[in-house]
Amino acid sequence: MKIYKSMKVENMKGDEAQGIVEAHVNTMGLVDKDRDVITATAFNKSIANNLPIPVLNGHDQSALVGKVVSAASEPIEEGVHKLKAQIQMNLDTQAGREAFSNVSGQYVREWSVGFNVPNPDEDIEYEEKEGQSVRKIKNLDWVEVSTVIRGASPETTTISAKQEPTTRSEPESESESATDTSQDASDTD
């Protein structure tokens, strides 16, 4: 069974030419909306063995929009870590450009990780927190990360997202301008 966790988008920065996004895609150490707590080291084996991790739109496997090229757990406060991922959106595809635009424009502001738990008997412990039974996930197989409207993991954020702006050179003369217009018009035929 694949499990999904997510976070909200906030601050933005990145490499415009490559469609690079930096994001905190999961928060570890806090109880999420599914009553799971992921440990700070749960992603380590997947990061070491499975990169690049696919980036999907809304956990839809037919909507591949990029790849995670690096990731690491970062301490935020006592007992809380965030999974920081560097993502390269596939700007060669329409889906990748649209996903990048939605993230950089903050239309889609959360992230969600999809994963499996390889050995539930060893990798999951059950404990009481805040009067509720929660699953403590100590190891997982990270399968994908998705842009989502709303997800389970608290405090996911986009740190940065930029793309190279489209530039047009100014024509040097009126005749060059007419040629350019003619070329633009013929490209639409």
Side-chain angles (χ1 to χ4, degrees):
M1 170 168 88
K2 194 181 291 182
I3 303 167
Y4 305 107
K5 304 293 172 194
S6 67
M7 296 187 79
K8 187 177 177 181
V9 172
E10 288 176 359
N11 305 322
M12 313 281 269
K13 69 177 182 175
D15 184 324
E16 295 182 3
Q18 300 293 320
I20 300 296
V21 174
E22 289 183 350
H24 288 132
V25 297
N26 194 266
T27 301
M28 292 86 74
L30 297 178
V31 178
D32 67 20
K33 292 175 187 169
D34 294 330
R35 294 186 319 192
D36 290 335
V37 175
I38 298 175
T39 65
T41 59
F43 288 92
N44 289 357
K45 287 182 184 176
S46 285
I47 292 169
N49 299 321
N50 296 344
L51 289 179
I53 302 288
V55 178
L56 306 178
N57 187 12
H59 299 295
D60 180 353
Q61 291 186 9
S62 68
L64 178 66
V65 297
K67 62 185 176 184
V68 175
V69 294
S70 67
S73 174
E74 292 187 334
I76 301 300
E77 60 187 59
E78 182 68 34
V80 178
H81 288 72
K82 289 190 178 185
L83 182 61
K84 182 178 182 180
Q86 183 174 23
I87 298 165
Q88 181 176 14
M89 295 300 215
N90 185 355
L91 301 181
D92 291 335
T93 67
Q94 183 68 29
R97 288 188 301 275
E98 288 174 2
F100 183 80
S101 176
N102 286 334
V103 168
S104 63
Q106 296 189 22
Y107 297 102
V108 177
R109 301 184 333 159
E110 295 192 22
W111 294 91
S112 180
V113 295
F115 60 89
N116 297 311
V117 179
N119 298 307
D121 294 338
E122 295 175 24
D123 298 332
I124 296 177
E125 293 177 2
Y126 292 88
E127 55 187 42
E128 287 289 317
K129 279 198 178 204
E130 303 167 5
Q132 297 183 3
S133 177
V134 299
R135 291 187 321 164
K136 181 179 180 182
I137 301 171
K138 301 183 293 181
N139 181 42
L140 53 81
D141 175 26
W142 186 15
V143 178
E144 55 93 0
V145 65
S146 288
T147 61
V148 293
I149 302 300
R150 183 166 296 142
S153 185
E155 303 174 12
T156 61
T157 59
T158 296
I159 300 164
S160 66
K162 292 187 180 176
Q163 176 184 8
E164 185 172 5
T166 305
T167 59
R168 294 187 77 145
S169 60
E170 294 295 319
E172 293 179 16
S173 67
E174 280 187 41
S175 63
E176 188 176 326
S177 177
T179 304
D180 286 346
T181 304
S182 171
Q183 289 174 335
D184 288 344
S186 66
D187 288 344
T188 60
D189 292 341

